[in-house]
Amino acid sequence: SSRRAALIKSALIMLWWQIVSLIPLVAGFMMFSSRFQELGDDRADSPAFLPFMTMIFISLCSSRLGLWGFDLAQTQLMQETVDVSEAGRINGSQQTLVEACYLFSFMMTIAFPDPRTFFIPAFLSFASIFVAALLFTMFRHRLQE
């Protein structure tokens, strides 16, 4: 139906919005990670750090719009397209996957507690969102065939 197609398109746009919003943040971590190590414990007070902090704030706020938009669209898709008899099983599986991803993020925090290595979990998070965007794009492409 055209409503389903519009929801899928909206979800896809919002997911890629999130990716595009996070690219400056990931690029900043890659470009400035050595600079952060040079600044040491004084980095939060350094004037050189202010532009990066501003970029983090703007990038994360913008990416949240994409996240929330995608979440709304995919939740609506689930409610409209999943058969009532299957909804519990599918929603349970989805929630299990979400909780496993949360657990993975906590494990990354434990594995990389040093702020100088924060770029590693940040990059892994970005990579997982990018893979999700690619998979959802392939899903939409298959539906159009």
Side-chain angles (χ1 to χ4, degrees):
S1 79
S2 64
R3 178 165 168 75
R4 181 178 181 212
L7 280 171
I8 291 171
K9 185 176 181 180
S10 298
L12 191 63
I13 289 169
M14 297 313 287
L15 191 52
W16 282 103
W17 173 282
Q18 185 179 15
I19 293 291
V20 169
S21 297
L22 290 173
I23 287 173
L25 181 63
V26 172
F29 272 120
M30 295 175 81
M31 291 185 326
F32 299 118
S33 63
S34 62
R35 177 76 176 126
F36 298 149
Q37 291 175 4
E38 290 172 16
L39 292 172
D41 294 334
D42 298 329
R43 68 181 160 267
D45 298 330
S46 171
F49 199 61
L50 184 61
F52 184 69
M53 290 299 292
T54 304
M55 183 181 63
I56 288 175
F57 180 75
I58 293 169
S59 183
L60 287 178
C61 288
S62 178
S63 76
R64 287 295 166 188
L65 292 174
L67 173 66
W68 295 330
F70 175 78
D71 187 51
L72 286 171
Q74 77 86 22
T75 299
Q76 190 68 31
L77 275 169
M78 293 285 283
Q79 290 176 349
E80 292 182 6
T81 59
V82 174
D83 188 55
V84 174
S85 63
E86 297 292 318
R89 184 178 6 203
I90 291 174
N91 288 336
S93 298
Q94 179 186 12
Q95 192 60 38
T96 300
L97 185 59
V98 167
E99 296 301 328
C101 290
Y102 276 133
L103 183 61
F104 181 71
S105 72
F106 296 142
M107 289 172 23
M108 288 292 99
T109 303
I110 292 169
F112 302 102
D114 187 352
R116 292 174 294 191
T117 61
F118 182 72
F119 70 93
I120 296 170
F123 182 76
L124 289 173
S125 294
F126 176 79
S128 65
I129 296 167
F130 186 76
V131 168
L134 289 177
L135 290 173
F136 197 80
T137 302
M138 290 175 11
F139 163 74
R140 181 173 185 255
H141 181 70
R142 282 193 176 171
L143 288 179
Q144 288 181 331
E145 290 178 348

